[in-house]
Amino acid sequence: MSHSISTLPLATAALLWAAIAPAAEITLTPRDLFQAAEGLFLAPGVEVPAPDLDRPAIRHAVSGPAADRVRALIADGEAAGFAGLVYDNRDHSHSQLPSALYPRLARLAYAPALQSRGLDYGLAGHILLPAIVFGNSSTAITRSSAPRSLPRLAMTAPGWPERTHRTYVSNHIYVYPEHRDHDAVDHFPAQWPYMIVSQGSSGSDKPFLHALAMTLAAFRPDTRDALEEAGLVAPALQMILRRSLDGVETRDDYLSGRAHPTVFDAGRLRPLRMIEMAASLAPDALPPLVRLTVEAEDFGPAAGLAARDERLYDTPSAIARLWRGHAGRREMVLSARTMPAPRGREVNFRWVLLQGDPARVRITPEGPTGERARIEMDWQPALTQTDPDGQTRRRTRIDIGVFAETGETLSAPAIVSVSFPAHQLRRYEPGPDGTPRLAEVDYDAARRGAPFDPLLYWSAPWRDVFVYAPDGTLAGWTRWGKNGREAYGADGRRLGQVTMRYEIERREDDLPVLRAVPD
């Protein structure tokens, strides 16, 4: 026999309503927003409603040791719980954290006027709240000549690296699926700590949302207040997630690529360990934020035949470069500092190769605390490796993690990435001084069907074979293409003719192709 709420005894009906009523909702309207900069809105007057403490913190439908531990911490008054937390779903409820499971967690909603502008959908970063926000968007760019996941879009679209960093230091963190960008091939041009990228497509983000919700609730009240005030909530979550992964047991494990994959597999999540680590973090032992500065480098603003910028982005905790030029060896000098500076604690910096061929990367720390490092890199071909999740992937990238070490505390990484155009078939040989020099390069990726990111790279219908003088200087090159054999001098002038310049044009299939034209 079934009953409606109205036919139940009043006390029972009240308890049932407390269990199933929707969580508190914050509805943003245009009047709440203040435009602080182009594409950036602040909502300074928005307040997170206090949770109804008569309702359960976590419904029993969320079972297991992790949920039980958070319930116990909250019941004993040792955890901050869900007060002051906001969940932001940005895929129109396609893959959302069900509100009924966390009745004390406030949820963000958008007025129709903001929805019509797309401010409720896709990548987060246009709107910042004065609160701790976590969320997700289980979407991707699919109807485009340059399909990509939202994380790869953020890495390659103008303005988005800076916007994504800003969310990171504003106590906002989001989960996005890698959707076809990290299967047999890792298509990401870089790695960064600004978001969590889940292995898979729609729904692969949900285990991370549960883990984030419970970890945020498990912090001590004074610790979470200190993290929020310092803008360190997202970096602390990144450290806890990575330190808690399956297969990361020791300090050395954390200071290795095992703890810092480009994309996270839900099978490696250990929520209980994340919760215990959050609960044990004291406000005087917060992991600092590492900020990087490029002091010198030979990556430039106009490299390669197309004379395009090699600097993909420079943000405080993530720097990315594209190896467009012909040099076989590159160098960067970087410095690191922490924000805020730890009080009364000595800081040492650790520079760690997370991804790439260790035989082709040399990292030399400098300074009494390792606050500077000289990084020397040789060209490297694509690497095929088996990741900790057991999958074999092809990669064309160097990742270097920079960590601040303060006693027993290790920070989340700042990351330097260098991406190689492996769709070009390059062959290097040792020069007179042992430095690798380019001997031959086949640019014709379109003919070979070699995939490449059309927002970053291009194809050209020729192959160049380089010639060097006895002293090792470039003498010129021979180009093999549709016009047969052509000889070029070191100045780029086709022998007997004029200097050539290069332009990128689009083919009918929308692939960018380089063509040579007389200057």
Side-chain angles (χ1 to χ4, degrees):
M1 181 176 179
S2 63
H3 297 275
S4 67
I5 291 179
S6 60
T7 63
L8 295 174
L10 289 179
T12 304
L15 289 173
L16 182 58
W17 174 250
I20 66 173
E25 194 168 84
I26 303 169
T27 301
L28 283 180
T29 72
R31 288 177 297 180
D32 295 317
L33 303 184
F34 164 75
Q35 185 164 359
E38 181 66 28
L40 173 63
F41 297 92
L42 305 181
V46 169
E47 296 183 0
V48 182
D52 183 352
L53 300 183
D54 290 331
R55 306 174 69 186
I58 306 175
R59 290 286 305 279
H60 286 290
V62 183
S63 60
D68 291 342
R69 180 62 175 142
V70 177
R71 290 187 189 98
L73 288 168
I74 293 174
D76 293 342
E78 298 177 15
F82 294 96
L85 303 184
V86 179
Y87 169 62
D88 179 18
N89 174 263
R90 302 187 56 80
D91 57 25
H92 297 169
S93 302
H94 171 63
S95 174
Q96 67 173 331
L97 190 67
S99 60
L101 298 182
Y102 300 92
R104 297 183 189 176
L105 175 63
R107 303 172 72 85
L108 192 62
Y110 297 81
L114 299 183
Q115 294 179 30
S116 66
R117 296 161 61 183
L119 293 176
D120 66 324
Y121 194 77
L123 279 170
H126 284 299
I127 299 175
L128 298 178
L129 271 62
I132 299 172
V133 181
F134 73 102
N136 67 305
S137 183
S138 203
T139 59
I141 306 300
T142 57
R143 297 176 183 177
S144 167
S145 59
R148 62 200 54 232
S149 65
L150 293 189
R152 184 151 71 113
L153 173 67
M155 292 176 180
T156 55
W160 272 105
E162 295 76 15
R163 201 168 286 150
T164 306
H165 163 261
R166 194 163 49 221
T167 67
Y168 180 65
V169 296
S170 299
N171 300 318
H172 293 43
I173 190 163
Y174 287 83
V175 188
Y176 305 101
E178 54 80 23
H179 186 65
R180 300 182 181 177
D181 272 346
H182 193 259
D183 297 328
V185 177
D186 181 347
H187 292 291
F188 290 97
Q191 190 193 154
W192 57 16
Y194 298 155
M195 55 181 60
I196 296 168
V197 188
S198 61
Q199 182 65 46
S201 296
S202 293
S204 64
D205 41 356
K206 282 187 178 180
F208 296 90
L209 294 174
H210 286 283
L212 289 177
M214 291 189 286
T215 302
L216 283 166
F219 282 117
R220 288 169 37 176
D222 54 350
T223 297
R224 204 172 74 189
D225 286 346
L227 288 169
E228 185 174 9
E229 182 179 354
L232 293 175
V233 171
L237 287 171
Q238 282 283 18
M239 180 276 290
I240 290 170
L241 167 66
R242 295 159 188 260
R243 197 85 187 265
S244 301
L245 290 173
D246 183 46
V248 180
E249 307 298 336
T250 67
R251 209 171 175 82
D252 287 342
D253 289 338
Y254 183 72
L255 294 172
S256 74
R258 176 173 289 274
H260 308 284
T262 312
V263 171
F264 292 88
D265 187 273
R268 297 185 66 202
L269 272 176
R270 290 194 285 185
L272 179 59
R273 187 172 176 182
M274 293 175 67
I275 289 158
E276 296 290 9
M277 189 172 294
S280 66
L281 186 63
D284 60 353
L286 305 183
L289 175 72
V290 177
R291 296 173 66 96
L292 301 175
T293 301
V294 178
E295 296 192 355
E297 65 176 320
D298 52 18
F299 291 97
L305 292 182
R308 298 183 68 184
D309 201 336
E310 293 183 294
R311 299 165 299 183
L312 181 58
Y313 56 76
D314 285 86
T315 60
S317 297
I319 292 167
R321 296 293 181 261
L322 305 172
W323 193 306
R324 300 187 191 275
H326 289 165
R329 178 168 293 167
R330 313 300 293 269
E331 187 175 277
M332 300 181 75
V333 178
L334 299 106
S335 61
R337 61 189 176 96
T338 59
M339 292 290 290
R343 298 175 183 175
R345 293 187 292 162
E346 181 178 301
V347 180
N348 291 287
F349 294 93
R350 304 286 296 271
W351 302 74
V352 179
L353 180 65
L354 304 177
Q355 162 63 37
D357 184 349
R360 297 170 187 258
V361 182
R362 293 163 292 281
I363 305 172
T364 307
E366 299 175 349
T369 63
E371 69 272 13
R372 296 175 78 248
R374 187 175 302 274
I375 303 171
E376 190 179 70
M377 299 159 279
D378 292 347
W379 170 273
Q380 68 174 38
L383 296 176
T384 300
Q385 299 172 314
T386 300
D387 287 347
D389 63 3
Q391 298 298 311
T392 299
R393 294 184 177 89
R394 181 176 181 267
R395 285 197 175 85
T396 56
R397 198 179 68 242
I398 290 170
D399 292 329
I400 295 168
V402 188
F403 302 84
E405 188 174 28
T406 56
E408 293 300 311
T409 303
L410 280 164
S411 71
I415 300 176
V416 181
S417 296
V418 178
S419 179
F420 297 83
H423 63 288
Q424 299 175 359
L425 297 182
R426 297 193 185 192
R427 179 172 63 84
Y428 284 84
E429 62 185 14
D433 63 353
T435 301
R437 67 184 186 187
L438 188 60
E440 182 179 352
V441 55
D442 180 352
Y443 294 107
D444 203 349
R447 176 185 57 81
R448 289 182 274 106
F452 62 92
D453 189 334
L455 297 188
L456 303 179
Y457 296 115
W458 41 264
S459 177
W462 61 71
R463 173 174 60 93
D464 289 342
V465 179
F466 294 83
V467 180
Y468 294 88
D471 64 357
T473 59
L474 180 65
W477 62 87
T478 301
R479 174 162 297 166
W480 299 87
K482 61 183 179 180
N483 295 327
R485 179 182 181 275
E486 299 174 314
Y488 285 76
D491 59 359
R493 185 187 299 272
R494 196 163 62 194
L495 298 187
Q497 299 187 35
V498 298
T499 304
M500 306 301 289
R501 61 184 172 84
Y502 298 89
E503 297 178 345
I504 296 176
E505 62 180 14
R506 293 275 173 177
R507 298 194 327 183
E508 290 183 1
D509 57 9
D510 214 30
L511 283 179
V513 177
L514 200 68
R515 67 187 184 99
V517 296
D519 195 356

